[in-house]
Amino acid sequence: MANPCEVEVLNNALSGIGVDEKSLVSILTKSQNEHKKSMRKGCSKFFLEDERQFERWNDSAIKSLKAEFKLFKDVVVLSLMHPWERDARLLKKALKKGLPHYNVIVEIACTRSSDQLLGARKAYHSLFDRSTEEDLASHVKGSERKLLVALVSAYRYEGPKVKEDAAKSEAKALLNAIKNNNGDHKKKAMEEDEVIWILTTRSKPHLKVVYEQYKKISAKTITEDLEVELLLKETVECLCTPQTYFTRVFDTALREDAKEDAKKALTRLVATQEDVDLKGIAAKFEDKIKERVKGAYKDVLLGVLADDRQ
């Protein structure tokens, strides 16, 4: 349950009365989703229910934050939103921006649980009066469409059971598809129906076994063999070796010549991966965070290192 002081800090910040950055950082880095839910209830002016009784951020409130928070705004907004709404809005934004941003769709579809992804699809309905799949099918072209529609539509089994024989067989099928040559033309693995079927329907524990079996028969990992198919590579990473993917996001964003999209990717990661322990990854970059990141945003990243969420 949020205490009155926390609610006051949020209401003041969101109203433009004044931003107590130290307190706000503490709230963002130490609160689990249930705690944030109670804080949203205390800020009813900024968090509304639509006609479907679905919780959503007041759109006008987001616009008013631009001047108040500047670069700190994105992490504040993403951290405070209901996770389903947040993911739905991220999906919509990635679709609008086009192909270079489709990795955001992959990240959401592959790092969330089945129920979290289903919740994001429900939120998308409520926010935009269309389905995620509908918008993907109408906006995305080529082989990427088949992959992305299948990924966001997935509702994976989340139990521990793995069929070892099937995993071995599917590792061989992936190897054949990735190495496949049709005469002088090398066919993309993303164009193979069996590749899409395996990656979009199998459970994550099963796919991790497939990943290990692939390495045994190929002497390379799947991701090493997919260097030229970045979107498919990121799909495999997010499903099978998410820590590798998260580490690369930190590394890319904290380089001296980091681009704005890379910095936004790190903001998204820190604000959305509440159920993932990022402390070990962030610790590797602590010196770079202290050296290259400024202000309240630096405090948020360092807060991840000291993760003691309530």
Side-chain angles (χ1 to χ4, degrees), residues 47-217:
F47 299 94
L48 314 171
E49 283 191 354
D50 62 18
E51 66 275 8
R52 302 180 180 93
Q53 284 74 56
F54 194 88
E55 183 183 309
R56 61 184 293 173
W57 184 281
N58 184 341
D59 289 332
S60 63
I62 292 181
K63 294 176 182 178
S64 71
L65 287 177
K66 289 182 179 178
E68 194 66 25
F69 290 104
K70 297 182 180 177
L71 294 176
F72 188 37
K73 174 183 74 75
D74 286 346
V75 74
V76 172
V77 171
L78 291 175
S79 294
L80 291 177
M81 273 188 192
H82 189 293
W84 294 359
E85 178 191 2
R86 177 200 65 208
D87 284 347
R89 290 187 184 275
L90 287 171
L91 288 169
K92 184 69 171 178
K93 190 172 183 179
L95 268 173
K96 282 185 174 181
K97 289 192 170 184
L99 183 58
H101 298 269
Y102 289 167
N103 65 303
V104 178
I105 302 171
V106 167
E107 180 185 307
I108 292 170
C110 297
T111 64
R112 307 302 192 254
S113 70
S114 294
D115 283 337
Q116 288 169 339
L117 182 56
L118 180 61
R121 289 162 60 197
K122 290 179 178 178
Y124 201 98
H125 285 184
S126 191
L127 289 167
F128 308 117
D129 296 315
R130 291 183 299 279
S131 73
T132 317
E133 298 89 332
E134 180 184 359
D135 273 357
L136 278 168
S138 62
H139 286 82
V140 182
K141 308 301 180 185
S143 52
E144 288 84 5
R145 175 164 55 188
K146 186 184 294 185
L147 173 67
L148 294 177
V149 170
L151 283 174
V152 301
S153 304
Y155 191 87
R156 301 176 192 271
Y157 164 69
E158 294 188 329
K161 292 183 179 179
V162 173
K163 296 179 180 179
E164 295 282 347
D165 290 342
K168 291 178 182 178
S169 175
E170 288 162 12
K172 292 177 183 177
L174 288 176
L175 179 62
N176 290 336
I178 292 170
K179 303 288 189 180
N180 183 38
N181 282 280
N182 292 335
D184 295 328
H185 172 65
K186 186 172 177 64
K187 190 176 182 181
K188 286 184 178 181
M190 199 186 301
E191 296 172 357
E192 296 282 359
D193 288 343
E194 192 164 17
V195 172
I196 301 297
W197 174 79
I198 292 169
L199 294 179
T200 61
T201 65
R202 289 302 198 183
S203 72
K204 292 176 186 178
H206 181 95
L207 288 171
K208 288 176 181 178
V209 176
V210 172
Y211 186 91
E212 292 304 319
Q213 289 297 326
Y214 186 102
K215 188 176 180 179
K216 288 180 181 178
I217 61 177

